[in-house]
Amino acid sequence: MNKLLLMLSIAIGSQAFAAEFLVKYRNQQGAMAVLSPRTSSTMSMQVLDTHATGNLILVNIPEAKKARAIVELLTNPGIQYVVPNFKLHSFASVPVSQLSTVPVEANALKEQWAMAKVQAEKAWERAKNKGNKNVLVAVIDTGVDYNHKSLSSNMVKGYDFAQGDDDPMDKTSAQNPGHGTHCAGVVGANGVVDGGIVGMSPDVSMMPLRFLDEKGSGDLNNGIKAIDYAIEKGATIISASWGAEVPASTAAPLLEAVKRATDKGIIFVVASGNSSKNNDTANFFPANAPYPNVINVAASNPSDAKPSWSNYGKKNVHVSAPGENIMSTLPADKYGNLSGTSMATPMVAGMVAFLKAQDPSLTGVQIKALLQTSGVKNSIDTACNCRVDAFNAVDNLLSKKPLMYPAAATIAEKETLQLGVMNLGNGLTYTSSNPAALTVDNNGLATAVAKGTAQVTAKDSSGATAVSLDINVGAVSSNPGNPGNPGEPGECPLGDPQLCQIACQISPTLPWCTK
């Protein structure tokens, strides 16, 4: 990519432009078409950044030439897609004006209802540990106050993609009370500070990666770079308490980054959103990324009910976790309560870290199934209708309780689903509770027949069994599409339907144009 860097230095100019777009190129020819001085001059286009890992180039295009420039790019066979560099936002629902900070009380940890709810203390006693420093959680957020006394012992070097430097300090404002610092505390505050708090995995390593600014928002390009940095640095888990509601085609480069992470075995724990919406019909990303290692989290309250603002979804949201009035760390050695699926997400990320400390070989699919089958049942619409419980999960793991994975799913008619099991012996047989809806062979391959719901039981030769939760057939109410090919017919990837209409008038053969 030396040529690309050289062309980048030539193409960058000083003119201010109206709209930023991410261009994905298929090959060197496509990249050079974007980076060449001739192209930049013709389109009055400014190249702002390149990201070789994702084959992405960030450009700025003036408003008057936007449609023509996009058409020229998209009709080049070396260009795969063009999408807007849209904003991603943190998912905390309490305004800073309502934030309550708590004074330090000597010789005691603050009361944390959420930790009691998930039986964290009992879980640590069962495991005889509180995690492992070999487990690395990348907290991708507004940064973290890495000097905080309840966090500093668990922090490793991170990076600031919002500012482009190696100082990911959480910068507060009227819009950001310390969102990333709060999330980090829920994951892994050390629990050794008088008057402080303890995280779900007090023995853990956390890497602060800042791409959300002091207002709690950041652009798509920097979010993608943060994910790829976490992959490069060997993160075990990514905690992502942010997102946006955009079409799947518009979110294509973000989905591809999440896929790169999950393909490396990283478990991607993500907030479902705070819009009171059903994620099966609303396109929230990266929450709805359709990959096995993604765990999409809704919020629960002290009564195990859904706070009014939390998103939900039987297909796309996998578990719920405490997210209302959560006590955690804030910058400058402070503590306070925040609410949001932003707070539920690091609780699950910390739980995943704790479970990985017990068995590093566990995959994302297995941990998701373990959390779902050991969760406490509630009325929140998720794949398991459950709230996570740390003790139940680690007890099932250490007791080697038989487990089927995936434990819950929603699939379309005629679709197949490969099931696996843990802690069962030889001579497996599989049965479906409702063969009219779902059949399963003795290799664990389930086939959706017709709309309905079934549970699958696997039995070994000794009679031991593992039973799935609900596998729903035909209840698919939203489709993430093909993230590698945005612009499917009828779906505008450019973030502006009018712009897509103009582009279709110029070039009716573009993939989202009506055929």
Side-chain angles (χ1 to χ4, degrees), residues 238-430:
I238 289 173
S239 183
S241 292
W242 43 267
E245 186 177 8
V246 294
S249 58
T250 304
L254 178 59
L255 288 167
E256 291 166 359
V258 175
K259 187 174 189 301
R260 288 193 290 275
T262 61
D263 285 349
K264 290 290 186 180
I266 297 171
I267 301 172
F268 197 97
V269 187
V270 60
S272 61
N274 294 352
S275 301
S276 308
K277 291 186 178 180
N278 182 348
N279 280 36
D280 295 347
T281 55
N283 289 319
F284 281 84
F285 295 104
N288 291 358
Y291 309 122
N293 282 0
V294 172
I295 303 178
N296 185 348
V297 185
S300 61
N301 67 17
S303 301
D304 273 338
K306 186 184 82 67
S308 61
W309 38 259
S310 178
N311 287 9
Y312 57 94
K314 289 287 292 182
K315 176 180 184 287
N316 287 324
V317 183
H318 304 117
V319 296
S320 62
E324 184 175 87
N325 292 328
I326 302 302
M327 174 61 64
S328 187
T329 46
L330 291 170
D333 287 330
K334 293 180 181 179
Y335 304 88
N337 289 302
L338 290 176
S339 297
T341 54
S342 278
M343 287 62 250
T345 296
M347 172 64 80
V348 174
M351 208 170 291
V352 172
F354 175 64
L355 293 170
K356 286 286 277 188
Q358 316 313 316
D359 183 355
S361 71
L362 287 170
T363 67
V365 178
Q366 291 167 340
I367 287 184
K368 188 191 307 184
L370 180 59
L371 292 174
Q372 290 174 324
T373 55
S374 64
V376 175
K377 289 297 181 182
N378 62 18
S379 60
I380 301 174
D381 277 339
T382 63
C384 64
N385 286 351
C386 73
R387 184 259 303 154
V388 293
D389 186 284
F391 171 73
N392 291 348
V394 76
D395 186 57
N396 286 4
L397 176 65
L398 298 179
S399 300
K400 297 190 180 299
K401 182 176 179 178
L403 175 72
M404 183 176 295
Y405 58 88
T410 297
I411 59 177
E413 293 178 72
K414 312 306 178 186
E415 189 176 347
T416 60
L417 178 69
Q418 183 60 57
L419 301 169
V421 294
M422 292 173 58
N423 305 320
L424 285 180
N426 296 323
L428 289 175
T429 58
Y430 290 82

Side-chain angles (χ1 to χ4, degrees), residues 145 147-149 169-170 172 177 181 329-335:
D145 181 354
N147 295 321
H148 197 294
K149 292 176 183 177
M169 178 57 71
D170 197 351
T172 60
T181 302
T329 46
L330 291 170
D333 287 330
K334 293 180 181 179
Y335 304 88

Side-chain angles (χ1 to χ4, degrees), residues 46-352:
Q46 182 184 23
V47 176
L48 302 176
D49 196 8
T50 62
H51 184 52
T53 302
N55 283 13
L56 297 170
I57 301 170
L58 179 64
V59 300
N60 225 334
I61 305 173
E63 189 72 29
K65 297 194 176 183
K66 202 160 53 173
R68 179 68 65 179
I70 287 170
V71 167
E72 185 168 335
L73 288 169
L74 288 172
T75 52
N76 186 315
I79 302 300
Q80 185 169 338
Y81 60 69
V82 179
V83 299
N85 187 31
F86 62 84
K87 290 291 185 181
L88 296 153
H89 305 277
S90 60
F91 286 148
S93 66
V94 174
V96 180
S97 60
Q98 298 177 20
L99 178 65
S100 61
T101 56
V102 180
V104 171
E105 304 163 3
N107 303 315
L109 292 177
K110 294 182 181 7
E111 184 175 345
Q112 295 175 262
W113 74 264
M115 297 297 287
K117 196 76 173 178
V118 303
Q119 303 192 85
E121 189 74 37
K122 193 175 176 182
W124 301 329
E125 291 173 0
R126 176 69 174 91
K128 297 181 172 58
N129 65 70
K130 295 182 178 181
N132 191 308
K133 288 290 183 71
N134 292 327
V135 177
L136 176 60
V137 180
V139 180
I140 301 179
D141 213 283
T142 61
V144 175
D145 181 354
Y146 44 77
N147 295 321
H148 197 294
K149 292 176 183 177
S150 289
L151 300 174
S152 59
S153 61
N154 288 338
M155 302 305 297
V156 302
K157 183 177 175 60
Y159 194 81
D160 180 358
F161 290 92
Q163 298 295 125
D165 59 43
D166 61 1
D167 183 12
M169 178 57 71
D170 197 351
K171 297 178 175 66
T172 60
S173 74
Q175 293 78 34
N176 174 39
H179 186 271
T181 302
H182 199 274
C183 289
V186 177
V187 172
N190 54 38
V192 301
V193 178
D194 286 348
I197 58 106
V198 64
M200 183 56 239
S201 185
D203 292 330
V204 72
S205 294
M206 291 185 287
M207 176 191 299
L209 298 178
R210 180 177 187 262
F211 91 95
L212 300 176
D213 61 19
E214 55 270 26
K215 295 181 179 179
S217 65
D219 65 38
L220 173 64
N221 182 55
N222 285 332
I224 291 166
K225 290 166 72 174
I227 293 170
D228 282 319
Y229 187 92
I231 298 170
E232 177 189 340
K233 298 301 180 181
T236 313
I237 299 146
I238 289 173
S239 183
S241 292
W242 43 267
E245 186 177 8
V246 294
S249 58
T250 304
L254 178 59
L255 288 167
E256 291 166 359
V258 175
K259 187 174 189 301
R260 288 193 290 275
T262 61
D263 285 349
K264 290 290 186 180
I266 297 171
I267 301 172
F268 197 97
V269 187
V270 60
S272 61
N274 294 352
S275 301
S276 308
K277 291 186 178 180
N278 182 348
N279 280 36
D280 295 347
T281 55
N283 289 319
F284 281 84
F285 295 104
N288 291 358
Y291 309 122
N293 282 0
V294 172
I295 303 178
N296 185 348
V297 185
S300 61
N301 67 17
S303 301
D304 273 338
K306 186 184 82 67
S308 61
W309 38 259
S310 178
N311 287 9
Y312 57 94
K314 289 287 292 182
K315 176 180 184 287
N316 287 324
V317 183
H318 304 117
V319 296
S320 62
E324 184 175 87
N325 292 328
I326 302 302
M327 174 61 64
S328 187
T329 46
L330 291 170
D333 287 330
K334 293 180 181 179
Y335 304 88
N337 289 302
L338 290 176
S339 297
T341 54
S342 278
M343 287 62 250
T345 296
M347 172 64 80
V348 174
M351 208 170 291
V352 172

